[in-house]
Amino acid sequence: MALGTQIRSFDSPYTEPRGLSFDERALFQASVAVNLFMQLDTKAARLIRSGGTPGPQPRAARFDGRSLFNTDTTNDRTRQMGLRDFEMIRGVDSPGGSITDMDLDGRASYMVDSADDLLALVSRGSTAIRTAASPAANPVAMAFDGRSTWIFDSGSDLAYQVDPRTGTVIRSGSFPTSTGGAGMAFDGRAFWFQENTTGDVYQVSVT
């Protein structure tokens, strides 16, 4: 099965989704249309629960096993939130002005900045440890698969597998979108990926 081949799909409960994260049984996503965070059952394709976002224009939605992290591009903040009511635990300044997505590697965060076209490794204190140029001209979504970072370019509708230490492209492939991506997550075997206007969520192959 080729990289980016669609395995299954379902509709998001709201339009304009941003950010996507997988927690072994469900997906977390945010919607800028209604400023909500949502937990979605991937098997039944249904909304489990939702709650308001602590800031406007929610972008990333990343689960670290205990809490959820998100960024907003209005106040340039990165926030840690609890899972019960999506209440804010703490917030710090984002390392860039247009952090459109992020993922976690257990010790730090990978973030993409769509304004400066950068891939950044960021400490939990929001300090950039190192940066590399993004291969995408408009990086709007990313995921970490345990070894590589994957960056989606909304201009070309291509997903790039990138060496996170150097920014070197390993390979690239098309994902099933007609309106641009707005979040991707790795579930251990495949990617979950969503469109930014229709809200369609796809599971797509990695190999």
Side-chain angles (χ1 to χ4, degrees), residues 11 21 38 53 71 105 150 159 186 207:
D11 294 334
S21 188
M38 293 154 284
T53 63
T71 63
D105 74 350
W150 292 78
F186 184 62
T207 56

Side-chain angles (χ1 to χ4, degrees), residues 119-142:
L119 168 65
L121 177 64
V122 180
S123 71
R124 287 299 176 93
S126 195
T127 300
I129 299 170
R130 65 172 181 264
T131 61
S134 166
N138 192 12
V140 294
M142 71 158 299

Side-chain angles (χ1 to χ4, degrees), residues 35-49:
N35 282 345
L36 286 178
F37 280 110
M38 293 154 284
Q39 187 179 24
L40 309 175
D41 184 322
T42 57
K43 292 184 178 180
R46 65 177 180 87
L47 177 67
I48 299 172
R49 61 197 175 106

Side-chain angles (χ1 to χ4, degrees), residues 13-79:
Y14 298 101
T15 59
E16 298 187 61
R18 299 291 187 273
L20 203 60
S21 188
F22 185 73
D23 75 348
E24 297 183 359
R25 65 184 183 89
L27 288 169
F28 289 101
Q29 71 171 194
S31 169
V32 298
V34 291
N35 282 345
L36 286 178
F37 280 110
M38 293 154 284
Q39 187 179 24
L40 309 175
D41 184 322
T42 57
K43 292 184 178 180
R46 65 177 180 87
L47 177 67
I48 299 172
R49 61 197 175 106
S50 64
T53 63
Q57 295 293 310
R59 298 292 173 172
R62 287 300 169 189
F63 180 65
D64 72 349
R66 294 180 300 175
S67 55
L68 195 66
F69 291 80
N70 100 292
T71 63
D72 82 65
T73 53
T74 299
N75 299 318
D76 299 332
R77 298 283 285 175
T78 300
R79 299 180 176 91

Side-chain angles (χ1 to χ4, degrees), residues 1-5 7 150 171 186 189-191 204-207:
M1 191 177 293
L3 171 64
T5 300
I7 300 170
W150 292 78
R171 60 176 172 150
F186 184 62
R189 295 180 300 174
F191 282 116
V204 299
S205 64
V206 175
T207 56

